[in-house]
Amino acid sequence: MRRYARTLVAVALATTVVSGTAGWVAGNAQQAVTGPPPGTASWRADRLLGRELPDPERDTPAATARFFAGLTAAQQQELAVRHPLVVGNLDGAPVELRYRANALALRASHDPAFARLAADPDRRFLAFDPRGRGQVAEVFGDLATARRVSVIVPGADIDATTFDRTTDVYGTPAGMAESLYARTGPGTAVIAWAGYTTPVGLGLDAARGTLAEAGAERLTRFTDGLAAAGVPVTAVFCHSYGSVVCGLAAPRLRVADLVVLGSPGMRADSVADLRTGARVWAAKDPGDWIGKVPHVEFAGLGHGPDPASPSFGARRVPAEDAEGHTGYFAPGTRSLRTFAAIARGAYDRPAPAPAPGTATATGYPPSSSARPTMMPPGPRR
């Protein structure tokens, strides 16, 4: 009888997710972008080197890394010029070569939606896929010298056109990554990864795990590719629906720390259910609207328990001053200070809070009205 009662409650709550009470009512259905990058057919047919090139779909990132290690610098560059969209998105290829290939692909794009990404030649992109709404990954810091590398995984309504918008900056992957890198500094790097098809609005896509499943595959291959290229990722920060992606990818992510913030759930009942060796952290601001979303999973709707609840078993990140769903990386917040400590590997001794009126990582006092809506551009190399 009790099990039956719990099932009825779960059904009622899951129905709430899409009925409007929680606000998940408007959204456009999305088709996940999957498969190898554009231009793969020409890449597979290329016999420039007198042999087959690594297959972007079937070969592992480790096999791809071994292939490029056997080429001369001139041969690598020739491939990037001939096939920029493939090389720029090829997991396991050398990092600097991917930067070069994506710069070429962005300059060759005639889509005005991507013009802003190509405007600054100093930006470093590890991925650029123009299919669908566009996918992109940008690096803040120097991957060649970084001892610790973090990846930001965003939630709904993020694509190549909203990746670094100037409104609601800390709700964008570029804004979150730049803010974290400004706090962590030399010896670290942060990657803003908008490498999967995100839900649009708060409709059925946001309540289901279909897009997250595809995203988890892409995230896993992306991090495996970096490790194969000699740049292992040490921490992943997952915002909102991005935490669903990370929950599904968790058993395959070889990272030290997995951090979720503003999470609707991770498709797991507890930390143990994630089957990961990583330390799992969770942050949720009391004023975050995500708290009104029922944390259940039933008949494919909803994403399970709240990772920030004590029963889930995650380490709690203080976030009382994060101010809503997109304020977790805002300068001066306790959540950002703790995130930075995790990113640096100093998770047991987070950075102290700045004294009132002192400068933050952005150079502005926490209460200063002079602080801009967009962070001053930080170093990207």
Side-chain angles (χ1 to χ4, degrees), residues 213-315:
E213 290 169 1
E217 295 293 331
R218 295 178 75 86
L219 176 62
T220 301
R221 189 172 178 89
F222 177 76
T223 56
D224 285 350
L226 286 174
V231 186
V233 173
T234 51
V236 177
F237 294 81
C238 319
H239 179 235
S240 196
Y241 188 83
S243 65
V244 186
V245 175
C246 292
L248 294 171
R252 295 165 288 167
L253 289 177
R254 292 175 289 179
V255 298
D257 293 284
L258 182 61
V259 187
V260 299
L261 43 141
S263 174
M266 299 182 74
R267 296 255 155 174
D269 291 331
S270 64
V271 167
D273 198 33
L274 290 172
R275 295 180 289 119
T276 177
R279 290 176 289 267
V280 180
W281 307 75
K284 186 174 76 173
D285 172 56
D288 189 338
W289 62 259
I290 203 74
K292 298 179 181 179
V293 173
H295 281 87
V296 298
E297 181 182 355
F298 184 80
L301 296 176
H303 305 299
D306 182 358
S309 66
S311 60
F312 192 82
R315 303 180 182 209

Side-chain angles (χ1 to χ4, degrees), residues 56-341:
E57 188 171 26
R58 295 188 290 268
D59 287 348
T60 66
T64 297
R66 288 193 296 270
F67 171 83
F68 277 96
L71 302 183
T72 66
Q75 288 172 325
Q76 292 184 6
Q77 292 296 325
E78 180 68 15
L79 288 176
V81 171
R82 290 167 67 90
H83 307 281
L85 280 171
V86 173
V87 175
N89 295 285
L90 191 57
D91 296 311
V95 166
E96 292 289 338
L97 193 65
R98 291 178 71 170
Y99 291 159
R100 163 77 168 149
N102 285 314
L104 292 172
L106 278 164
R107 285 201 294 269
S109 174
H110 300 294
D111 191 331
F114 307 133
R116 187 184 68 260
L117 300 177
D120 184 350
D122 291 331
R123 299 181 74 169
R124 301 291 187 92
F125 292 102
L126 272 178
F128 168 63
D129 189 334
R131 293 178 297 172
R133 289 152 43 213
Q135 299 180 6
V136 65
E138 183 175 10
V139 176
F140 296 83
D142 187 353
L143 291 178
T145 61
R147 297 184 301 276
R148 298 188 66 86
V149 177
S150 299
V151 172
I152 305 288
V153 180
D157 297 313
I158 296 296
D159 52 41
T161 65
T162 58
F163 173 79
D164 58 350
R165 61 178 182 257
T166 55
T167 58
D168 192 22
V169 174
Y170 304 113
T172 71
M176 289 187 275
E178 191 164 14
S179 182
L180 181 60
Y181 178 66
R183 185 78 195 192
T184 55
T188 68
V190 184
I191 302 169
W193 182 79
Y196 77 107
T197 304
T198 67
V200 171
L202 298 175
L204 283 174
D205 280 343
R208 294 186 295 212
T210 305
L211 295 180
E213 290 169 1
E217 295 293 331
R218 295 178 75 86
L219 176 62
T220 301
R221 189 172 178 89
F222 177 76
T223 56
D224 285 350
L226 286 174
V231 186
V233 173
T234 51
V236 177
F237 294 81
C238 319
H239 179 235
S240 196
Y241 188 83
S243 65
V244 186
V245 175
C246 292
L248 294 171
R252 295 165 288 167
L253 289 177
R254 292 175 289 179
V255 298
D257 293 284
L258 182 61
V259 187
V260 299
L261 43 141
S263 174
M266 299 182 74
R267 296 255 155 174
D269 291 331
S270 64
V271 167
D273 198 33
L274 290 172
R275 295 180 289 119
T276 177
R279 290 176 289 267
V280 180
W281 307 75
K284 186 174 76 173
D285 172 56
D288 189 338
W289 62 259
I290 203 74
K292 298 179 181 179
V293 173
H295 281 87
V296 298
E297 181 182 355
F298 184 80
L301 296 176
H303 305 299
D306 182 358
S309 66
S311 60
F312 192 82
R315 303 180 182 209
R316 191 66 185 268
V317 173
E320 291 75 14
D321 57 352
E323 298 185 4
H325 190 59
T326 56
Y328 293 93
F329 284 88
T333 56
R334 295 180 67 195
S335 51
L336 176 60
R337 291 195 295 272
T338 306
F339 292 161

